[in-house]
Amino acid sequence: MKFRFETILKMRKSRENLAKKDLALVNAHLLKQQDRLQFLEETEEKSKRELDARSRREIDVNQMVLYDQFFGGVRAQEKFQTKIIAEVSVQLEKKRALLAEAMRRRRTMEILKERETQAYEKLQMKRETELLDEAGTAQWRMKSL
């Protein structure tokens, strides 16, 4: 027995696989952006410790200005990176919703296929029972003659 909507089921499985792939790509991009933000934060912390160590010794005003500009640039980069992460997170949620919808649609077709298969098997069992009943009745008639 062939499922009458097999083509649609295959198409929905294909769409679900594409949705999974898209979700994985966006998730990988998000992780990369989060790693960049973490790198910036670690760099800032390392530079602050370095500045603290230098400030205990004699430090030049030009070096202080340089550090100040560096920290300003790092904070600007962190702010920009946070904005990127927020945008990618929104994309990730959209992809996740699309995947959930694709999974729901595929599952609906699978349930329909299961029901059709069960109905077919039930019909086959009914036909088999009818044949066996008919054969039994014929045997009984032959014996009684």
Side-chain angles (χ1 to χ4, degrees):
M1 181 199 98
K2 186 174 181 207
F3 179 51
R4 60 186 166 149
F5 298 119
E6 191 68 36
T7 306
I8 295 172
L9 178 59
K10 286 180 182 178
M11 181 185 70
R12 292 206 174 151
K13 284 181 180 179
S14 177
R15 283 185 183 170
E16 180 181 345
N17 289 336
L18 287 174
K20 284 180 182 178
K21 185 177 178 181
D22 288 346
L23 179 69
L25 289 172
V26 172
N27 194 35
H29 183 61
L30 177 64
L31 292 175
K32 186 184 261 185
Q33 297 303 321
Q34 288 173 338
D35 286 346
R36 286 180 183 174
L37 178 62
Q38 184 178 1
F39 173 75
L40 288 170
E41 291 170 348
E42 289 171 358
T43 301
E44 183 179 21
E45 284 300 314
K46 181 181 172 187
S47 296
K48 283 181 181 179
R49 286 191 301 269
E50 202 175 283
L51 178 62
D52 284 345
R54 284 185 179 209
S55 66
R56 291 188 188 118
R57 296 177 275 148
E58 288 186 26
I59 190 165
D60 187 10
V61 174
N62 291 329
Q63 287 180 336
M64 289 293 287
V65 169
L66 188 64
Y67 270 104
D68 186 52
Q69 290 174 349
F70 172 76
F71 288 131
V74 169
R75 278 187 232 107
Q77 282 288 83
E78 286 175 346
K79 187 176 179 180
F80 181 70
Q81 199 64 34
T82 303
K83 184 179 176 182
I84 290 173
I85 289 172
E87 290 172 2
V88 173
S89 295
V90 169
Q91 283 181 339
L92 182 68
E93 289 307 311
K94 287 179 184 176
K95 296 293 183 182
R96 192 172 281 141
L98 288 173
L99 175 60
E101 179 64 19
M103 291 173 73
R104 186 188 64 77
R105 287 175 168 253
R106 178 203 35 93
R107 185 65 187 136
T108 300
M109 292 306 294
E110 286 179 345
I111 290 170
L112 187 60
K113 182 179 181 177
E114 289 171 8
R115 287 182 183 167
E116 192 172 296
T117 302
Q118 289 173 352
Y120 178 77
E121 288 173 358
K122 188 176 178 180
L123 179 64
Q124 289 297 96
M125 288 184 73
K126 183 178 176 185
R127 287 180 183 166
E128 187 178 323
T129 303
E130 288 173 355
L131 285 172
L132 290 174
D133 286 348
E134 191 176 312
T137 303
Q139 281 185 345
W140 183 77
R141 282 187 188 153
M142 295 292 264
K143 280 186 182 180
S144 61
L145 286 178

